[in-house]
Amino acid sequence: MSQLRHHPEITFVDDSRQTPPQIALLLTGSVEESTLRSLRSFAETDVRVVLVVDRMRDADLLDVAECGVTSIVWRREATSRRLLRAVLAARRGEGDLPADLLGTVITHLGRLKGDTRGRAGAAPLGMTQREIEILQLVAEGLDTAEIADKLAYSERTVKNVLQHLTSRFQLRNRVHAVAYALRAGYI
């Protein structure tokens, strides 16, 4: 709290029963089952989560994303500026990952794609080529403006495609959409 208190764009909620929070900041040493239970309870509400963690196994990354976590910050990197960036990204429904975790995500994308391609009985997602292209760029860590520039779309088009996709498949955010597409073998 001391890292964020001096930022005027952040308002702390003392009693969440009167004013429900928009963002929850969860601080933990590692991702254990109790952490996942807490994350799942937030996923049942409209509260977006920023996870501040000391360490995380590669295998925990998809579980955390499936719980609706939009931003992850290594505790050792949790400066005032870094936490603010993560909280603001979460508020916008965007993902914010440390560079090393982003590399892990991309590595796992390739493995998961190979693991799911030939799977018998895999249900097709029904994603359009444009949705897949946008999700691939989201998975690479590009923000809305960068995706729009790279694909020669307007930022509004990129946002609309992502909104329609997350709504159609009942996903919580961009990170959840990437995890969903990964498991189905689209990216």
Side-chain angles (χ1 to χ4, degrees), residues 31 35-36 39 51 56 59-70 72 175:
V31 178
T35 308
L36 293 173
L39 293 173
L51 178 64
M56 183 176 1
D60 297 327
L61 198 51
L62 286 179
D63 290 333
V64 167
E66 197 169 55
C67 291
V69 172
T70 58
I72 300 172
V175 175

Side-chain angles (χ1 to χ4, degrees), residues 118-129:
R119 201 172 63 197
L125 289 176
M127 287 188 187
T128 66
Q129 187 59 38

Side-chain angles (χ1 to χ4, degrees), residues 21-27 42 47-52 71 87 90:
Q22 294 177 352
I23 308 294
L25 195 65
L26 181 62
L27 177 64
F42 283 117
V47 177
R48 295 180 176 151
V49 177
V50 174
L51 178 64
V52 180
S71 299
V87 167

Side-chain angles (χ1 to χ4, degrees), residues 88-99:
L88 295 178
R91 186 178 72 189
R92 292 187 306 266
E94 297 176 356
D96 186 25
L97 298 175

Side-chain angles (χ1 to χ4, degrees), residues 96-109:
D96 186 25
L97 298 175
D100 57 333
L101 278 185
L102 190 55
T104 301
V105 168
I106 292 170
T107 300
H108 283 292
L109 290 177

